[in-house]
Amino acid sequence: MTPSEQSWVPPNPPLGIPSTTPDVPPAISTPARRYGKIQDGGATRQRWIEDPTDPTCQIQPNALTVADLTKARWLIQTEKHNIPFQVAENAFALGYTNKAIYNQTLTRRLAEGDPGLAGCENVYDILVGRGLIIVEAMFRSDGPQFSQIARARLQEIAEPQTLRHLYVCDVVNFNTKNFVQDVLYSSRNGLTWPPACDAPLIWQYNTPEYQALLGTRVGKCAVYLVLEIFPRGTYYISKVMTWDQSSSLEIRFDIEPIPASLVSAA
C-alpha cells in the first residue's frame, strides 16, 4: 500500500458501539508480498479466521473461566477503572463511556513445571467492558494463552461475542514493536517513527501491511482471540490501527461480522 492509499483521518464517531455488518465485504484478491515471512504468517491466520474449511487451523473455541484460574492458584485483583489515557480519545470516539465502569484485572502467577522458567511470572493486566478489551500488559512464561485469559475476563461482564475492539497499549514486544517502527513506519512507505502526524494510521483489510501486522506476535494474539470466541467464517478483523502516544506504540484491532455475501460465495 503506497502512502497515498493510507488514511490519516481518525474514525468517524458512530452512535454507540458499532455492531452492524460492513457494507464492503472482505476482498478475495491476494495482495502483493512485500514483507516476507511475517506477511505469510499473517495471511495464513487471516485465512484461518475466514475459511472454516481450512484444515491447517488447530485453534479451537476455549471455555477457560476465572474460576479455573482461581483454582489453579492465579492471583487475581479487579478494580473499576476508566479507559487508559493512551487510547482514551480513540475509544471515546467509538462511543465508549468516559466513566470508571470498566473491570481492570491484574492476573498473575509464577511459572510452573520447566525448571528453566523458575522465578518467571505470567502477567496479564486487562481492562474489559461490553464490546471492548484493552491490554496494558501481557507476558506469558507458561500456562494459558493471552487469548484464553482475555476471553475469561470478558465473559465475567458480557457475552464474549460482543467483542468489537481490542486495544494493546504501549507495545513492548520486540517482534511487533520493531516491525511497526522500523519496517511499516519507514522511508519505503513514506513514513518515520515517531510519526509526523498524530492521527492513527489505518491499515486496511487484505493489504500487505494488514497481513504483516497479523503476522506479528501481538497480531497472533488478536487472531487467536477471534478464533476462540467466534465460529470460524463468521467474524473477522476488519482493520488494524497504529499510532504513537508519548513515544509508545498503540494498536487497535476492529472485529466485525463477515458480510453474508462473502459467506454465501465461499
Side-chain angles (χ1 to χ4, degrees), residues 30-50 54 56-59 175 179 206-224 227 237 253:
T30 301
R33 187 175 186 264
R34 298 189 67 204
Y35 301 100
K37 291 183 178 179
I38 198 167
Q39 182 182 344
D40 295 342
T44 296
R45 293 168 192 160
Q46 176 185 333
R47 189 173 63 247
W48 286 352
I49 288 176
E50 297 162 10
D54 187 333
T56 64
C57 179
Q58 303 298 313
I59 310 303
N175 168 270
F179 175 75
N206 207 49
T207 59
E209 291 74 19
Y210 166 94
Q211 290 186 334
L213 284 164
L214 295 194
T216 65
R217 292 295 296 272
V218 169
K220 178 180 178 180
C221 290
V223 169
Y224 280 23
L227 289 171
I237 296 172
F253 299 87

Side-chain angles (χ1 to χ4, degrees), residues 24 31 47-48 64 78 88 96 103 122 171 174 176 211 230 254:
V24 180
R47 189 173 63 247
W48 286 352
L64 183 75
T78 301
Y96 295 104
N103 278 11
N122 299 282
V171 174
F174 289 132
T176 306
Q211 290 186 334
F230 302 98
D254 286 15

Side-chain angles (χ1 to χ4, degrees), residues 55-258:
T56 64
C57 179
Q58 303 298 313
I59 310 303
Q60 300 295 324
N62 186 267
L64 183 75
T65 66
V66 173
D68 295 330
L69 293 171
T70 302
K71 188 180 299 184
R73 294 175 298 160
W74 285 75
L75 175 64
I76 300 173
Q77 299 171 298
T78 301
E79 297 178 353
K80 293 294 184 182
H81 278 273
N82 203 334
I83 289 175
F85 78 93
Q86 301 97 312
V87 301
E89 181 179 357
N90 190 279
F92 297 156
L94 292 170
Y96 295 104
T97 187
N98 186 9
K99 296 179 181 179
I101 63 170
Y102 303 95
N103 278 11
Q104 182 155 7
T105 303
L106 182 63
T107 308
R108 304 167 59 190
R109 191 189 69 178
L110 290 175
E112 297 181 349
D114 186 345
L117 296 176
C120 295
E121 192 172 29
N122 299 282
V123 179
Y124 300 96
D125 190 359
I126 300 173
L127 180 143
V128 297
R130 182 177 174 83
L132 177 70
I133 293 177
I134 299 177
V135 184
E136 293 202 76
M138 58 174 165
F139 183 83
R140 176 180 179 268
S141 296
D142 62 0
Q145 300 281 349
F146 155 78
S147 53
Q148 298 170 320
I149 290 179
R151 180 194 176 280
R153 298 255 59 102
L154 181 58
Q155 186 171 272
E156 280 197 301
I157 58 97
E159 164 56 47
Q161 291 191 3
T162 62
L163 180 63
R164 295 297 179 269
H165 302 101
L166 168 66
Y167 287 91
V168 183
C169 297
D170 299 344
V171 174
V172 296
N173 174 264
F174 289 132
N175 168 270
T176 306
K177 183 177 179 180
N178 291 350
F179 175 75
V180 173
Q181 295 183 356
D182 298 339
V183 180
L184 282 190
Y185 284 77
S186 66
S187 58
R188 71 180 295 184
N189 289 330
L191 301 170
T192 60
W193 187 274
C197 179
D198 292 335
L201 187 57
I202 301 173
W203 305 101
Q204 299 291 353
Y205 171 82
N206 207 49
T207 59
E209 291 74 19
Y210 166 94
Q211 290 186 334
L213 284 164
L214 295 194
T216 65
R217 292 295 296 272
V218 169
K220 178 180 178 180
C221 290
V223 169
Y224 280 23
L225 185 62
V226 172
L227 289 171
E228 291 181 3
I229 289 178
F230 302 98
R232 289 170 58 197
T234 61
Y235 279 71
Y236 75 124
I237 296 172
S238 60
K239 63 177 176 288
V240 185
M241 298 176 65
T242 56
W243 69 97
D244 165 64
Q245 177 66 49
S246 303
S247 300
S248 294
L249 171 62
E250 319 299 331
I251 303 182
R252 180 182 117 193
F253 299 87
D254 286 15
I255 300 160
E256 300 184 46
I258 294 179

